[in-house]
Each structure stands twice: as C-alpha cells, then as structure tokens.
Amino acid sequence: MEELPCTQRVRPGGDGAAAAVGTVGAVRVLVVEDEADMADAVARGLRREGYAVDVALDGEEALEKLGYNEYDLVCLDLTLPRVGGREVCRRIRAGETASTDARVLMLTARD
C-alpha cells in the first residue's frame, strides 16, 4: 500500500488501495474551549497535521468568528462562559452563522 503524507486525506478505493482526495490544509477548524492551555494543545495538534485552525475562548468569540468565517469543523466545549456550547451549536444549525454546513464535534469534561 502506498504511504501518503499525513497532510492528505484518503478514501479507500474499490480495490482496497487508498486514493488521495485532497490536503487537510483546505479544512478550516474552529476550536472553542475556555481553558487556554487545552485550546492551545488541541490547536497545535491539528495544525501539526496540516489543518487551518482558529481558536475562540468563549461562546461569544466563537459566534463572532463563525459570523464571518466558513468552517468545516467546530470542536466545541459545552460549558463555556458568556454563551454556552449548546447555544453556539443551535445558532450554527439555525443558519445564523457563515458556517451552517460545519460539522460540530462536542468535547467536554464533566464530573
């Protein structure tokens, strides 16, 4: 099997071989996390893999960035200051942002 650089996404071909479908650099990700160290760690890991990453530290900042940028993926914490993660997700799905087609991955740590 051909090895591809980690900056390429792959799709299995009909014969089991991988076929490159593009680079992840074209994929824009918004990381929304109020703990700055955690947000930085997630963003660094994604950037190292070739993703274009922006970070928002609260729900209000996330909505501002979502208002004028089109993201492919939003990594969203549920418990955020100012505007909660559920409300950010609701607004994305309601078409109130420029990223209405974004996938939303909710990540949270709750006791």
Side-chain angles (χ1 to χ4, degrees), residues 29-34 42 56 58-59 62-63 66 73-80 83-92 103-109:
V29 179
L30 177 63
V31 174
V32 187
E33 168 60 59
D34 59 319
V42 172
D58 61 52
L63 289 171
L66 286 160
L73 175 68
V74 179
C75 291
L76 183 60
D77 187 8
L78 278 177
T79 52
L80 295 167
V83 178
R86 291 180 196 273
E87 179 62 16
V88 171
C89 185
R90 187 198 69 72
R91 292 186 190 183
I92 292 169
R103 303 281 194 240
V104 177
L105 175 63
M106 295 209 144
L107 302 174
T108 193

Side-chain angles (χ1 to χ4, degrees), residues 92-105:
I92 292 169
R93 292 296 169 245
E96 298 175 19
T97 71
S99 299
T100 56
D101 293 330
R103 303 281 194 240
V104 177
L105 175 63

Side-chain angles (χ1 to χ4, degrees), residues 37-52:
D37 290 342
M38 179 64 73
D40 182 56
V42 172
R44 265 187 289 117
L46 290 168
R47 286 182 186 123
R48 187 173 41 243
E49 294 301 320
Y51 293 91

Side-chain angles (χ1 to χ4, degrees), residues 8-39:
Q8 289 187 325
R9 294 180 302 174
V10 297
R11 177 182 59 230
D15 61 357
V21 294
T23 63
V24 294
V27 177
R28 286 195 74 164
V29 179
L30 177 63
V31 174
V32 187
E33 168 60 59
D34 59 319
E35 293 185 31
D37 290 342
M38 179 64 73

